[in-house]
Amino acid sequence: MSGTRKKALLKVIILGDSGVGKTSLMNQYVNRRFSNQYKATIGADFLTRDVNIDDRTVTLQIWDTAGQERFQSLGVAFYRGADCCVLAFDVTNAASFKSLDSWRDEFLIQASPRDPDHFPFVLLGNKVDLESQRAVSSKRAQSWCQTKGNIPYYEVSAKEALNVEAAFLAIARDALARESQETNDFPEFPDQIRLNPNQQNQQNSGCNC
Amino acid sequence: MQMFRHSSADMWRAKKPTLERRSTDGRRSSIVDWINGLSDNNNYKSDHWVEKHDEGCERMTRNGSVCAVEESEPDVPTQHREVLLTKLKIEIKNIMAEHGAKKYLNLNSPYVTSLCIAVDACIMDGLRRRLLTLFNSPSSMSLLQIIAKSNGPAQQVLDQTREIEELRTSAIPVHLIWIREALYLKSLSTIINHFIDSKSVRRYYDNSALLLDPVKGRLVATLMMAPCMVTYRRMSNRIEQEATAEELVEGATRGSTSTVPSRPPLSITRQVSSIAASVERNGSVSRDYVFSLHHSCKSTLLYGKNNVCVAMNGSDFAKGYMSLQKFYDGNLSLKWVPNQLMHASSQPSSGHSNNGEFTNIWKNTINIEMQDIIYIHLHQKDEISPTCLTFVNCEGVQSAPFQLPAGQHSIAFLSSLETGLAPLLRLDPPLWVGTTKEKILPRLRKRSTAVANPAMLDYVFRLVRTSGVEPAPEDIEDPLAPTSHSPPIHDNCVSLPNSPYIVDNVDSIVNFQIGTACQSMRNQIMARAFYGWLTYVRHLRTIRTHLLHLVDTKTLICDDDCDPVDEKFWKQARAEPTEENEKEFLKRVYWRGIEGINTKEVRRMAWPYLLGLFEWNESPESRLEQFTSQYWQDIEEWRVLEAEVRRRDEEAFRAARARKAASPVREESCDVFEDPNEPTCSQHYDRENLITLFRANLHRIDKDVERCDRNLMFFSNKDNLESLRRVMYTYVRRNLEEGYTQGMCDLLAPLLVTFEDEALTLECFSLLMLRQRGKFPQRPGMSKCLLNLRSLIQVVDPQIYALISDIDYAQALSFAFRWFLLDFKRELSYECTYKVWEVIWAAQRLRITDDFAIFFGLATITNYHDVLITNNFDYTDMIKFFNEMAERHDCSRLLSSARTHVKCLQNLVQHLK
C-alpha cells in the first residue's frame, strides 16, 4: 500500500485435480508451513510473496483454485492475465497425472495467451514423500513435459517442504523472463502517468474545502 | 484571484529585498524555499496553508520555521542546530506518513532507527563530553541515567533498555536503544522536557546547546510528541507483511469512531444523498480550527504575513500570523493568530497537556471585519523601524496595534487591502502608483505640527464607499493621529467619491456579476435535484426489474420483540400442533432463532420441520423407521459396487507400479496416456458405465471426506468420518446423474453433527440439496444470486457499488461464490452456521423471502463498508479480505442487519405496488 519501489506483479495460477495439494503447495511456499487441516478449496483464493530475482523485487500472486473440473467455469475469470501456469499432480495418483492434458488445454483456451506455444508452464509432481505409494514415475512425467515443449518438471513435497522453494523461484524466473521479453517486443510508454486515487486523497486531506 | 491580476507582481517586487537577504544567509532554507515555492505557484493563496506532500518536508515544518525568523546574522552553531532540527522534522514527517499508511509501525523498521539517530544528534548537540566520561560511555544514555532517579518514566525506559541490551538482539546501535524504547513507551517527549528542566543535566551542556535554546529546545520536545502517539509493535526483522484482514477491520473501527458505524438500510431519502456523498474526515480538531481561521473554501486569502507583533495586556508583545481574506459575499476580514497556537495545532497531542493555557491563547486571536472599520492608522518612526497599524471601527473603538516589520510589508498589505475593497469600497486617500508602477504611500501635505518631527511617517486612511455614501459621520476624529483626520486629496487623484461615472459602472458590473452567480447557482441546484431524482428513479427501476420478486410483501411481519425458541416453547408448540403454533414457531426462529439450554436437542427435533421433511401436524416416529430401513437397504446395494471399485483401484495401482518398475526403454515407447483400465467391454455396457461413474464419484468423495472439518472434535473420530462417507455415498448412489460436487460435504457435515443419525441426516440433506442444487456449477442459480446481490448493493450502498460495478459481476463478486454455494458454512463457525441456516429456512417457510442468504451476504458486505471504501479495494483485495475474515464475522449483528434489509425492501416493494 505504501511501497515506493515499483514492484512487478506476477500472476501465477495453480491447476490440477482435487486433492493433489494445490493449497498446501501455495501455503508451503508463502507461509513456509504445512497443515493437514486444509479443506477442499471452494471458489478462489490467492496469496502473495515477494521474491528477489537479480536485484529486482517481484511479487508473486499465487492463485489457488478448486480442483473439480465442474468449478472451472469460475476459475476462468482468474486465468486471464496470468504470467505463468503451474500444473500440479499427485505422484501417488495416476488419474491426476492423466488429467494434466485437459487442464493445460483448458487453460490455453480460456486464458488465450498471446503466444500459446511458448506460454510458461511448470509441472509439479507433489507428495514425493510417499515414495512407497508412487504411481507416476519421474521418467513418465518428464517425457510428458518433453512432448509439451520442454516444460520444466519438479518433484516436490509440500509436506516436507522439499523442492518447493526452488520450484517457485524457477516459476518466477520463467515468468519474469517472458515478461521482459514481451515488454521488449511491445515497449510501453516510458513515463506512465499514474492516476492513483489514494495519492489524491492524501493531498486533499489538508484542505478544508 | 482578481487581486493577483493587479498586484501580485508588485507585491513580489516589494518583498524581494528581504527575501534575497535571507537566502544569502544560507539558513532558513525552509522558509525561503517555501516562499519561493509560493512565488512559482500562482495558486499560492489556496496552497498557503495546505501541506505540500509532494515537495518534501520543508513545507510540512513551516510552523517551526516561521517562529524563528529573525533578522540577525546566524553563526555556525546556529546553522548546525538548524540542520539538526530540519533532519529531525524530516524523520518525524516520514514516520508519521508511514504510520498513516500502516496504522502501526514496526519498532525495528528503518524509519524508527533514523528517527532515533536524529533525536540522538539533537540531544548530543552542545554536550560537554569530557564531563560525561565520568560515566561509562559519553552517550545520551548517560543523561537518562542522571534523571532516572528522579523521574518515573525515565526509570522505566532505563529498565527496559537494560533488558533489551542484555538480550543483544536489537537491530540498532546500542546507544540508540533507549530512544527507541522511550518511543515505544511513549515517554520520549516527557524525558526530553525533563532534560531541559533538570539542573543536573543542564550543567553538562554548553550555553549554545540546542536543548538549552529557549525556543528550539522546547521545540525538540514538542516535535517528539507526535511520534510518541504512534503505535509501535515489536516485530521480527522478517519481511513486513501486508496488513491482514483483522488489522484492516481494526483500523477501520478506530478511524470511524465518530461516524455512525452501521449504515442506514434501504430507504428513499438515502438515495438522494448518494450523489452528494459527504466525505467525513477526522482530523485534529484544533488544527482544523486554526486552519479555518485563515483558510476556508468560502474565502480568498489576499495577504498573509508571519511574525506580526500585537500588543497584549499592555506592554507584552506577541508574534503571530496575520491574514487578510475576502469572502464571497465581498466582506473582508483580518485575522491574527498567535504563533503558540499555530505550533500547538501542528502537534496533535499537545492539546492534552495544558488545556488551561491554551484556552487563554485562544482568547487572544483577533478577527476584524473590514466592513466595520472606517479608519486605518499607519505609524512609522522612520524608514527602518517597524510599522504600526491600528484599525478604528465605526464606534470609534481601536484595535490593538499590529506591528509589521520594516520594509515594504505595510504597503503590500495596504495595496492588497485596497484591491480587496474594490469595487464597493476604497481607501481614501488612495495609494499612489510610483514611477516603477509599484504602489507607494501617497505624499501628503503635512500640517505644520508634523514638521517638528520630519522623519515620523503617519497616515490615516479612511474606508469610503465608492458610491460616495459615507459609512460613518464626519466628526469622528482620532486624537492619536498627528496628521489631519481628513487629509487633503492630491490633485492627481482621480477616484473622486462622487463621480457619477464610477457609480454607474460599478453598479452595473456588480449587478451583472451577481446575476451570473445567481444563474449558475440556480443551474447547480437544478442539476443536483435532477441527478438526485435520476438516481432515485434508477434505483426504483433496479428494484422493479430485479428485486421485485426477491421478497414477498403479503407476509409483512414486523414483530421482532418475540422470544426465541427454547425447549419449553418447543414442547408446548408440539403438544398442540396447530397452524398458529407453527406460525409462531417459524416467526420466533426467524426473529430470534433457537436458544436456551439443550439447543442441540431442540435443533435435532425442529430442523426436519424447518426443512419441510415432516408436516407440522405429523409425528416423526413412523417415518423415521421407514427412512432407516431404506437407508440400510441402499447401503447394501452400493456395497457391491464399492467392492468392485476397490478391486479395480487395486489393479490399477499395481499396474502403475509395474509400469514404473519396467525398463526405461519400454516406457519411452509406450503411450504415456494409456490407461489399462479403460472400459472396453461392451457386453455389460450399462453396468460398466455405472461402475465407472460411481468409481469417479467415490474417489472425489473420499478425498473430500478425509479433509472435512478435521479441526472439529466430532470429525476427529474416525467413526464419524465413516458415517459422513456412508451418507454421502448413499446420496450419490441415489442421485448418480447429478453426482458428487465439492462443497456437498460441507453442507452435509453440520447436519450429521446435529442429528447424529445417518438416515435422518440423509433425508434432510436431500431436501437441503433441493434448495442449494440450483446454485451449484452449471446451473443458473449462482449467477442469479450474484446479480441480485449486485442490484441490492447498487440500491443500498452506492459507494461499494462503485467499487464493483466496472467489471463483470461474476468476477467482481467472486468472493461471494462460496457464501451462496454453502450458505455461509465456510464463513461462520458451526454454531453461527446453525443460526444462519435456521433463519434462511424459516424465511423461506414464512414466505418472507426465498433466499435470505442474499440479504445476509448484503449485510456482510455493508458491515465492512468502511474497510472496503477507505482501502479502495478491488476484487482481488475483496477475495483476500473475505477469505481471511472467514469464521470471524459477528454473526448476530449480521443477522439483524440482514433482517433490516429485508424489511426495508419489503416496504419499498409494497410502495411500488
Side-chain angles (χ1 to χ4, degrees), chain A residues 196-208, chain B residues 46-47 49-55 281:
Chain A
N196 189 341
N198 288 337
Q199 273 177 5
Q200 282 176 355
N201 285 347
Q202 260 184 4
Q203 282 198 342
N204 291 339
S205 63
C207 175
N208 294 313
Chain B
S46 58
D47 282 339
W49 285 99
V50 183
E51 291 164 7
K52 306 263 292 179
H53 288 268
D54 50 343
E55 300 243 21
R281 292 194 186 282

Side-chain angles (χ1 to χ4, degrees), chain A residues 18-19 36-40 44-46 68-71 77 101 131-134 137 140 144 197, chain B residues 297 653 657 660 667 672-673 700 703 707 709-711 738 740-742 777 811 826 872 876 879 883:
Chain A
S18 77
N36 55 3
Q37 306 280 310
Y38 298 126
K39 303 168 185 180
D45 195 4
F46 71 92
Q68 195 171 355
E69 61 277 26
R70 285 188 196 181
F71 285 100
D101 258 312
E131 191 55 46
S132 60
Q133 297 169 44
R134 189 190 263 268
S137 71
R140 196 174 160 199
W144 182 82
Chain B
C297 56
F653 180 69
R657 294 290 289 186
K660 189 182 162 245
E667 183 161 352
V672 284
F673 310 113
R700 287 192 197 115
K703 268 180 211 143
R707 45 183 175 164
D709 297 316
R710 283 175 283 198
N711 49 350
E738 180 194 357
Y740 174 79
T741 310
Q742 288 193 317
Q811 195 170 4
R826 286 274 183 99
N872 197 16
T876 53
I879 290 176
N883 277 343

Side-chain angles (χ1 to χ4, degrees), chain B residues 111-354:
Chain B
Y111 297 101
V112 178
T113 312
S114 322
L115 179 66
C116 290
I117 293 169
V119 173
D120 188 58
C122 288
I123 295 175
M124 295 300 281
D125 180 64
L127 193 65
R128 289 186 229 167
R129 292 176 190 225
R130 261 174 310 146
L131 290 176
L132 271 181
T133 42
L134 294 171
F135 299 90
N136 291 335
S137 61
S139 78
S140 53
M141 173 90 172
S142 320
L143 299 177
L144 184 73
Q145 286 164 344
I146 295 168
I147 64 158
K149 283 166 209 134
S150 59
N151 186 296
Q155 186 63 48
Q156 210 182 341
V157 171
L158 195 61
D159 292 345
Q160 193 152 348
T161 309
R162 284 184 179 144
E163 252 174 62
I164 302 270
E165 272 177 12
E166 276 165 30
L167 288 174
R168 299 214 170 272
T169 54
S170 175
I172 66 169
V174 180
H175 67 280
L176 296 180
I177 296 179
W178 79 267
I179 301 175
R180 199 186 63 173
E181 292 311 311
L183 273 177
Y184 182 70
L185 295 169
K186 302 188 193 303
S187 50
L188 187 55
S189 178
T190 330
I191 289 175
I192 294 179
N193 262 325
H194 211 82
F195 283 164
I196 298 167
D197 294 335
S198 163
K199 272 190 186 152
S200 46
V201 171
R202 286 177 82 101
R203 66 196 169 98
Y204 289 108
Y205 277 106
D206 292 329
N207 283 336
S208 62
L210 175 63
L211 280 196
L212 297 198
D213 189 301
V215 178
K216 288 172 203 152
R218 293 284 172 203
L219 189 61
V220 173
T222 321
L223 280 172
M224 290 320 295
M225 282 172 139
C228 281
M229 300 302 288
V230 172
T231 321
Y232 297 94
R233 289 194 190 171
R234 282 184 205 283
M235 290 164 89
S236 62
N237 281 326
R238 241 164 53 87
I239 325 143
E240 277 186 60
Q241 304 236 319
E242 279 179 44
T244 63
E246 231 169 342
E247 284 157 8
L248 289 173
V249 174
E250 195 185 301
T253 39
R254 191 152 46 99
S256 66
T257 38
S258 62
T259 57
V260 187
S262 62
R263 297 175 49 77
L266 280 170
S267 67
I268 296 178
T269 46
R270 244 208 68 72
Q271 293 147 9
V272 182
S273 71
S274 65
I275 54 148
S278 63
V279 183
E280 290 163 50
R281 292 194 186 282
N282 304 316
S284 154
V285 178
S286 77
R287 183 198 187 87
D288 284 353
Y289 183 63
V290 171
F291 280 168
S292 72
L293 284 174
H294 293 285
H295 181 88
S296 81
C297 56
K298 290 182 198 146
S299 66
T300 313
L301 183 65
L302 296 182
Y303 180 81
K305 174 79 190 88
N306 55 24
N307 289 350
V308 174
C309 289
V310 168
M312 320 261 290
N313 318 325
S315 57
D316 283 1
F317 275 90
K319 286 182 173 183
Y321 181 80
M322 183 180 84
S323 67
L324 179 71
Q325 294 165 59
K326 185 169 191 173
F327 289 87
Y328 284 155
D329 57 6
N331 287 333
L332 267 82
S333 96
L334 182 81
K335 299 180 182 210
W336 181 86
V337 173
N339 278 344
Q340 285 144 294
L341 209 56
M342 303 295 301
H343 304 319
S345 63
S346 64
Q347 309 289 326
S349 58
S350 50
H352 304 291
S353 50
N354 29 16

Side-chain angles (χ1 to χ4, degrees), chain B residues 727-745:
Chain B
V727 179
M728 206 68 244
Y729 279 2
T730 320
Y731 176 79
V732 168
R733 177 67 196 92
R734 285 187 192 176
N735 306 275
L736 203 53
E737 280 302 305
E738 180 194 357
Y740 174 79
T741 310
Q742 288 193 317
M744 284 186 181
C745 266

Side-chain angles (χ1 to χ4, degrees), chain A residues 137-185:
Chain A
S137 71
S138 142
K139 269 261 151 62
R140 196 174 160 199
Q142 261 157 7
S143 61
W144 182 82
C145 286
Q146 272 164 18
T147 62
K148 303 297 169 196
N150 281 328
I151 296 177
Y153 172 60
Y154 292 88
E155 301 226 312
V156 297
S157 161
K159 190 176 178 183
E160 311 275 329
L162 211 72
N163 237 352
V164 178
E165 195 84 18
F168 274 96
L169 197 63
I171 289 162
R173 272 182 199 285
D174 240 37
L176 200 62
R178 187 186 131 86
E179 198 194 41
S180 55
Q181 212 178 345
E182 260 182 21
T183 42
N184 287 342
D185 293 345

